[in-house]
Amino acid sequence: MTETRATGYDCLSSRLVPEAELREFLLDCFGIAGHELFVGHVARVAEDLLDVPQDVVFAAFCTYRQARGHFAMSFDVGVEGRLADRVGRREFAERFAARFGAYVLYGDTEPPGLWTVILADGGRLRAAMEERDGRSVLYAVTAPVPGLPEVRVDEGLRRIR
């Protein structure tokens, strides 16, 4: 029997979620105890870990920061393999989007240069994004994104392999 390797879930969210709510979501989503989780702003990680013994291992380790452009928040969650077995990337993004009424961008098995966006209603679409000057902006999607009427809809993104 092979054991699932640890992995990371890197996402962009249209909603900036307060740290306490993010922490509560992660505990509930992965079904872990508080001592198994670290959540902190990327600029404060070292400071937040000052009093934590160096040999402590967290089952889930989340850093976040404010984002700009079409997204309000960027967050990265490193998870042990057992947690990845419980909740995969897509399910994680779906749960986050539904819980916070946001659209969430993540990457998994899309062709290079494309991403998946999960809408708050559970809809899923493919997207092309540009990152420039610290801004993450969608420039093409396979279906409309609520609140972003300026983003071009391009059904052709579905056919890119």
Side-chain angles (χ1 to χ4, degrees):
M1 179 176 164
T2 30
E3 190 174 306
T4 301
R5 296 177 63 174
T7 190
Y9 299 168
D10 304 333
C11 302
L12 291 170
S13 167
S14 63
R15 179 166 174 235
L16 182 60
V17 176
E19 186 173 310
E21 290 179 40
L22 180 59
R23 180 176 187 71
E24 181 182 317
F25 166 76
L26 293 167
L27 290 170
D28 182 53
C29 182
F30 292 115
I32 57 176
H35 70 275
E36 295 181 280
L37 173 66
F38 173 85
V39 179
H41 189 280
V42 71
R44 293 190 318 263
V45 172
E47 179 182 327
D48 290 349
L49 292 173
L50 272 178
D51 295 329
V52 176
Q54 288 187 353
D55 61 344
V56 169
V57 176
F58 296 97
F61 192 94
C62 176
T63 60
Y64 67 91
R65 67 174 177 78
Q66 190 169 353
R68 295 183 10 213
H70 289 146
F71 299 94
M73 176 181 191
S74 170
F75 60 99
D76 305 318
V77 185
V79 295
E80 291 181 344
R82 68 184 171 97
L83 301 184
D85 286 340
R86 288 182 195 168
V87 181
R89 265 187 193 82
R90 179 176 172 181
E91 184 181 353
F92 177 81
E94 289 170 341
R95 287 183 183 192
F96 189 97
R99 173 88 165 252
F100 297 112
Y103 53 88
V104 176
L105 179 135
Y106 75 99
D108 195 9
T109 59
E110 306 83 358
L114 295 180
W115 306 91
T116 296
V117 174
I118 301 292
L119 304 176
D121 67 4
R124 183 170 55 115
L125 51 102
R126 210 175 249 179
M129 179 183 64
E130 180 176 78
E131 294 178 289
R132 188 179 335 150
D133 300 326
R135 297 173 51 88
S136 300
V137 178
L138 299 174
Y139 65 85
V141 291
T142 53
V145 177
L148 297 178
E150 73 280 7
V151 179
R152 179 174 54 91
V153 174
D154 181 353
E155 286 288 324
L157 293 178
R158 290 188 196 280
R159 293 185 292 277
I160 298 174
R161 298 269 174 232

